Amino acid sequence: GAVVSQHPSWVICKSGTSVKIECRSLDFQATTMFWYRQFPKQSLMLMATSNEGSKATYEQGVEKDKFLINHASLTLSTLTVTSAHPEDSSFYICSAREPFSGELFFGEGSRLTVL
Amino acid sequence: AQRVTQPEKLLSVFKGAPVELKCNYSYSGSPELFWYVQYSRQRLQLLLRHISRESIKGFTADLNKGETSFHLKKPFAQEEDSAMYYCALSGSGNTGKLIFGQGTTLQVKP
């Protein structure tokens, strides 16, 4: 099946710094990718829809200036957590939509810890 | 409002026993329902979708619009079925956006 890769899988940063997480579709082109956040032992919460070549669409309650999303190519979307604080610590998961089947393929997730 | 509810956080059964993971949804239109599975230390992956009406790894799920349910069933659980299972809903418009339930951990004991 199709593969979606996230990098880094684990990152620790100091409070106030910015962190970038990459999501790549390795063997297909994805005009649409999605970013989720998952708190411990909780469900995945959709943060935003990343659209290639246009602005991301954010879900209600998600700060777009805090969580910058860029989808500059058909195989790469990035999520930048700006001025990170400890409450931003979480597991971030992306998914990419395979265009022919419409099926979503998920990345392995990126764990962010803000000290 | 769109919502997916999985009432059980943990379901523990013995190998060979039947399994039913419950999922109820709230959506005003015609949703598409999915079950995703996450095995230990692996990524989330699609198990089945209601429009396919297929059986994957012995699991089936039927969409009951009257009861707004999409329960996942398997007649005889196997130890390798132990995993986290998420029910998810995609609304009309084929946007690909998914609303996930809280997830149910299935534990199959030997």
Side-chain angles (χ1 to χ4, degrees), chain A residues 4 38 43 59 97 104 106, chain B residues 43 86 94 97-98 100-101:
Chain A
V4 174
Q38 186 177 34
S43 187
E59 295 300 303
R97 195 174 186 193
L104 292 177
F106 285 80
Chain B
R43 68 190 66 201
Y86 291 97
N94 196 26
K97 287 171 58 173
L98 290 175
F100 283 89

Side-chain angles (χ1 to χ4, degrees), chain B residues 44-108:
Chain B
L44 206 62
Q45 57 184 286
L46 178 65
L47 180 62
L48 52 81
R49 53 201 301 180
H50 91 267
I51 61 172
S52 301
R53 300 187 63 81
E54 56 190 347
S55 173
I56 304 294
K57 298 184 179 181
F59 285 97
T60 59
D62 290 317
L63 180 61
N64 186 322
K65 292 186 178 180
E67 296 182 358
T68 59
S69 68
F70 189 56
H71 303 326
L72 183 68
K73 300 177 183 179
K74 185 170 183 176
F76 308 104
Q78 303 299 315
E79 288 182 69
E80 55 265 30
D81 295 328
S82 296
M84 178 72 118
Y85 291 80
Y86 291 97
C87 182
L89 174 155
S90 178
S92 55
N94 196 26
T95 63
K97 287 171 58 173
L98 290 175
I99 305 299
F100 283 89
Q102 301 92 319
T104 299
T105 299
L106 174 63
Q107 185 182 72
V108 182

Side-chain angles (χ1 to χ4, degrees), chain B residues 33-50:
Chain B
L33 275 296
F34 305 83
W35 276 99
Y36 283 85
V37 61
Q38 187 170 30
Y39 299 103
S40 180
R41 297 198 181 95
Q42 293 187 30
R43 68 190 66 201
L44 206 62
Q45 57 184 286
L46 178 65
L47 180 62
L48 52 81
R49 53 201 301 180
H50 91 267

Side-chain angles (χ1 to χ4, degrees), chain A residues 41-109:
Chain A
K41 297 183 180 179
Q42 293 190 31
S43 187
L44 286 79
M45 182 192 76
L46 179 64
M47 299 174 67
T49 303
S50 175
N51 305 297
E52 189 271 334
S54 64
K55 291 183 180 179
T57 306
Y58 290 81
E59 295 300 303
Q60 192 173 14
V62 178
E63 299 175 61
K64 58 183 179 182
D65 295 329
K66 174 76 170 174
F67 299 99
L68 299 179
I69 291 173
N70 184 277
H71 195 152
S73 79
L74 287 171
T75 59
L76 173 65
S77 175
T78 60
L79 168 69
T80 301
V81 183
T82 63
S83 187
H85 290 284
E87 56 265 31
D88 298 324
S89 298
S90 192
F91 197 57
Y92 293 89
I93 301 172
C94 75
S95 68
R97 195 174 186 193
E98 200 281 327
F100 296 106
S101 66
E103 185 174 336
L104 292 177
F105 292 90
F106 285 80
E108 61 269 60

